[in-house]
Amino acid sequence: MNFPTVSQITTEEFADWLLNPVKPQPFVLDARSQPEYEISHIKTALRIDPVAPGLTALSTESKDTPIIVYCSVGYRSAKVAQQLQRQGFSQIYNLSGGLFQWANEERPIFKDDAHPTQLVHPYDPIWGKMLKTSYHAEN
């Protein structure tokens, strides 16, 4: 399935954005399962259920708040981004390549916001091939 209305952001663009103190920081959503999120995520990311995304976390956010959504490789997050667009959010970006690409590029990932980690949930044996083996968390 294709998501032509969903804007993509590269890992490099996103990393630069996070380091830019002048630019308003985006709201970051992790569209993966709880077990995946507990192993690691991008710092400050809030988990949103990719199957039934509850939007209560965004209820106080302005509709033009920049939002970055990611998952393992980008499919689940694109679906969530599309749903957010339908809710009227205007600055939604899907992280191209997802957390796998982010980790493969040795960008920072965290078990919680204070503890960096090198492990990522490989999702499943097929998709896990897109993640460098050294980052695989044991299932």
Side-chain angles (χ1 to χ4, degrees):
M1 186 168 176
N2 201 330
F3 301 93
T5 63
V6 175
S7 298
Q8 300 289 322
I9 186 168
T10 67
T11 49
E12 187 175 353
E13 290 167 333
F14 180 41
D16 288 348
W17 187 342
L18 292 177
L19 293 172
N20 184 341
V22 181
K23 202 167 181 182
Q25 290 303 293
F27 200 89
V28 184
L29 293 175
D30 183 315
R32 298 177 304 145
S33 69
Q34 188 67 35
E36 289 173 282
Y37 179 84
E38 285 174 1
I39 288 173
S40 65
H41 51 271
I42 294 173
K43 194 172 187 173
T44 75
L46 286 178
R47 193 186 83 78
I48 188 166
D49 189 319
V51 179
L55 302 177
T56 49
L58 297 170
S59 62
T60 59
E61 296 297 321
S62 150
K63 294 289 186 187
D64 59 1
T65 297
I67 301 171
I68 309 286
V69 190
Y70 72 88
C71 62
S72 297
V73 295
Y75 180 79
R76 292 176 288 175
S77 53
K79 283 174 60 175
V80 169
Q82 197 172 53
Q83 289 173 302
L84 290 169
Q85 284 177 327
R86 290 189 190 124
Q87 296 293 321
F89 289 93
S90 60
Q91 290 193 61
I92 311 290
Y93 303 93
N94 186 36
L95 183 61
S96 182
L99 189 62
F100 286 5
Q101 184 167 335
W102 183 266
N104 286 341
E105 293 171 354
E106 301 179 8
R107 299 188 189 279
I109 52 175
F110 292 79
K111 181 162 181 59
D112 57 53
D113 287 348
H115 298 94
T117 183
Q118 295 294 310
L119 298 178
V120 176
H121 191 294
Y123 185 64
D124 70 18
I126 309 288
W127 288 105
K129 290 182 174 130
M130 298 178 76
L131 177 68
K132 288 181 183 170
T133 313
S134 59
Y135 293 111
H136 280 234
E138 296 304 316
N139 288 346

